[in-house]
Amino acid sequence: FQITRVEALDPRTLQPLEGILLGGDLTLRIHWRARDPLTDVHFQVLLMRFDGQISGSTHSRLAMTGTAARQFVGTGSVTATLHNLNLVPGGYAVEVWATDSRHATDYDVHRGLDIRVDGPTDIDGKRYGSYVFDADWDFGVAETMVSQRS
């Protein structure tokens, strides 16, 4: 199993973007490839500030998006829309992990996507820090299927 690329998209238009406004939403499209069929695949998204502070994460299991009946084989994509990202303005590295449901097996990790959060640096009453993102997950349909022969 391999995460082949991750795209940052505007949630409304699904067009590529490099940054969001403070408190905005962000859609990540996670492209994957599986040579052998897998049914227990879950995804975790982690945002880390460029200074190394982990700012938050979400996991497809938190959304109760079950993949027990889903077979990952061939190529496909998964989208995660992260809502209301009240992050300190600045640069963030995005990591995406593909694991099994118990985190006993890490299938793959993708690093290399950076995003920028723009906005005022001081807002009275706003709390910034680490939290679990509110996210919607969509596992869609595999783009191609590989036939299995015995």
Side-chain angles (χ1 to χ4, degrees):
F1 190 91
Q2 180 184 20
I3 299 171
T4 57
R5 67 186 166 112
V6 178
E7 299 174 279
L9 306 172
D10 180 299
R12 293 176 309 281
T13 65
L14 296 181
Q15 294 301 309
L17 55 75
E18 294 179 3
I20 62 169
L21 290 175
L22 173 71
D25 296 345
L26 171 67
T27 293
L28 298 173
R29 182 174 292 142
I30 305 159
H31 298 268
W32 55 265
R33 175 176 44 233
R35 187 178 345 197
D36 300 316
L38 290 172
T39 55
D40 186 19
V41 179
H42 294 271
F43 296 87
Q44 179 177 11
V45 173
L46 176 77
L47 292 184
M48 186 177 348
R49 287 190 344 204
F50 286 164
D51 67 5
Q53 178 182 341
I54 295 174
S55 296
S57 67
T58 188
H59 195 288
S60 60
R61 284 191 61 203
L62 296 175
M64 300 303 288
T65 302
T67 61
R70 168 70 194 253
Q71 185 171 357
F72 291 81
V73 64
T75 61
S77 64
V78 171
T79 59
T81 299
L82 311 180
H83 300 288
N84 195 28
L85 294 177
N86 286 318
L87 299 170
V88 175
Y92 290 81
V94 179
E95 285 188 6
V96 178
W97 293 76
T99 68
D100 68 358
S101 60
R102 295 166 304 183
H103 288 277
T105 303
D106 291 332
Y107 298 122
D108 197 15
V109 61
H110 184 278
R111 296 180 178 100
L113 176 65
D114 295 334
I115 62 163
R116 185 185 67 257
V117 175
D118 294 319
T121 56
D122 184 14
I123 299 177
D124 292 338
K126 278 285 188 194
R127 292 183 57 198
Y128 299 105
S130 300
Y131 63 98
V132 174
F133 302 126
D134 176 24
D136 295 322
W137 288 86
D138 179 3
F139 279 78
V141 177
E143 294 167 3
T144 62
M145 300 299 284
V146 175
S147 63
Q148 295 295 312
R149 297 185 184 187
S150 331

